[in-house]
Amino acid sequence: MASNSTSGVGKTILVTGGSGFVAAEVLNAFLSRGYNVRTTVRNDHSADKVKKSHSKYIKQLSFAIVKDVQIPGGHDEAVKGVDGVVHTASPFLLQVEDNERDLLLPAIKGTTEVLASVQKYAPNVKRVVVTSSFASLVDISKGGRPGHVYSEKDWNPTTYEVAANKDTNGAVTYCASKAFAEKAAWDYVKEHKPQFDVTTVCPPMVYGPSGSVVTDLDHLNTSAADIYRLMNGSCKEVPETSFFAWVDVRDVGEVHARAYESPEAAGQRYLAASGRYTYQKVCDIIRKDFPERRNLVPEGTPNAPFPDVYGIDNSKVKKELGVEFRSLETSIHDMAVQFIEIEKATGKA
Ligand code: NDP
């Protein structure tokens, strides 16, 4: 599904949070179309890592240091002269010290501050794509919710009070942070009537090989760590599946570029899901493709029937953005190959 078109030549896109797992493929999707990409990172070290991972496109890449996404006016300089914006920077952490400080505020204020800078200082921007999440539509309190089919019509109903409470589980607050941030983006457009429209992309668990430089398997991003634990011996049993929907990171990058370029995507929300999965299926794939690691991957009940849980309607993103998604087999296989290479390179094997 990757594009080699030249639709972006002569235009500049700002991508916030360039050091992230998802952002690495957002960068690739735009860079491969010929866009110049300016990306925000929090420090020079992160900029150096992005330069290394995206060295093929070095001439199209530039950087702006923004130490914290929620600083008022923090993006004023970064947005100057750009033609479009993709806002990915947001904490994806499931355990934090302070739910409001560490999850809710950076997600929500981060989004509104980026939009405010764009409105003030980037008159050429006609579209801002915001990376939201399936977290923004799921109702965790309903669990597997048999019979329900999640689509763009759903909203996570967690209240701010519950999300901010210190006793609330970090996963619940993370999900709420994405819903509040996405709502903040829609509200911003309604209230401030800026020169741009907004499109939101809602991926579920994002897997696949990382487009970033990864040198430390003990500090992976949250969704990569979610898979690595299934193949490094740390899970003795197949864990209960947390969310039953997934997508490949390379496809998420492509969805962002299409969401930016498609005139029909104005004001739209896209559930960017490949399909459903369970951790059992992931373990089955790794055990089949990498028999030499079977002692490190929990066996569970191989080929167990799919549990009676919610469905996923991804017809809108497929139809309107023409997206074709990679299979779980491809995504997990490619991810495992990369983990094994990193283990060898870092002496962990
Ligand atoms: P990563 O942890 O890899 O990336 C998060 C990015 O956000 C990093 O660039 C990080 O910078 C930046 N960031 C976090 N907090 C701040 C802050 N306060 N100020 C400035 N930058 C900040 O996670 P992902 O790539 O997985 O997540 C990226 C986006 O994708 C998020 O919006 C997330 O909610 C969304 N998403 C991810 C899914 C997944 O399964 N991975 C699923 C659905 C949505 P630094 O590296 O310096 O910390």
Side-chain angles (χ1 to χ4, degrees), residues 23-237:
E25 291 302 336
V26 172
L27 293 181
N28 281 331
F30 282 94
L31 291 163
S32 66
R33 285 170 161 81
Y35 289 92
N36 294 316
V37 177
R38 185 182 302 160
T39 187
T40 62
V41 284
R42 295 209 257 194
N43 50 52
D44 291 332
H45 175 66
S46 291
D48 289 343
K49 281 177 82 175
V50 179
K51 279 182 201 161
K52 206 166 164 193
S53 55
H54 293 74
S55 55
K56 187 175 153 195
Y57 297 111
I58 200 75
K59 288 194 181 134
Q60 289 160 251
L61 255 182
S62 60
F63 296 87
I65 306 282
V66 177
K67 291 198 186 312
D68 192 323
V69 71
Q70 56 191 313
I71 296 171
H75 295 80
D76 287 356
E77 286 304 313
V79 301
K80 284 182 184 165
V82 305
D83 301 290
V85 175
V86 180
H87 175 47
T88 81
S90 198
F92 180 9
L93 302 167
L94 302 177
Q95 276 174 333
V96 294
E97 272 177 20
D98 183 322
N99 281 338
E100 191 167 35
R101 182 195 66 196
D102 302 333
L103 285 170
L104 292 165
L105 293 179
I108 302 165
K109 281 187 69 191
T111 302
T112 52
E113 287 302 334
V114 168
L115 297 181
S117 291
V118 177
Q119 184 169 16
K120 265 197 219 150
Y121 293 107
N124 291 343
V125 172
K126 299 291 177 268
R127 167 84 39 92
V128 177
V129 178
V130 175
T131 311
S132 185
S133 175
F134 177 64
S136 171
L137 19 120
V138 73
D139 184 347
I140 296 196
S141 71
K142 295 210 163 74
R145 209 173 176 181
H148 185 72
V149 177
Y150 279 107
S151 75
E152 291 83 358
K153 294 188 189 87
D154 288 289
W155 277 100
N156 177 338
T158 308
T159 63
Y160 193 90
E161 289 63 35
V162 167
N165 190 299
K166 66 177 175 34
D167 298 324
T168 297
N169 171 294
V172 171
T173 301
Y174 165 71
C175 290
S177 80
K178 297 303 291 179
F180 287 117
E182 190 187 342
K183 281 184 184 151
W186 293 124
D187 289 346
Y188 186 95
V189 173
K190 247 189 248 155
E191 279 167 32
H192 299 274
K193 307 206 173 3
Q195 73 281 16
F196 53 81
D197 55 45
V198 161
T199 301
T200 63
V201 174
C202 302
M205 291 302 285
V206 182
Y207 299 141
S210 175
S212 304
V213 174
V214 180
T215 50
D216 184 357
L217 291 166
D218 294 327
H219 294 95
L220 291 165
N221 67 284
T222 298
S223 59
D226 191 44
I227 297 301
Y228 186 54
R229 71 187 169 135
L230 300 176
M231 59 181 282
N232 71 355
S234 57
C235 286
K236 303 297 169 221
E237 307 286 335

Side-chain angles (χ1 to χ4, degrees), residues 1-5 25 28-29 32-33 57 250-251 254 258 324 326:
M1 203 173 68
S3 161
N4 288 313
S5 77
E25 291 302 336
N28 281 331
S32 66
R33 285 170 161 81
Y57 297 111
R250 295 160 289 189
D251 297 338
E254 183 64 24
R258 293 185 187 210
E324 286 165 35
R326 284 172 174 80

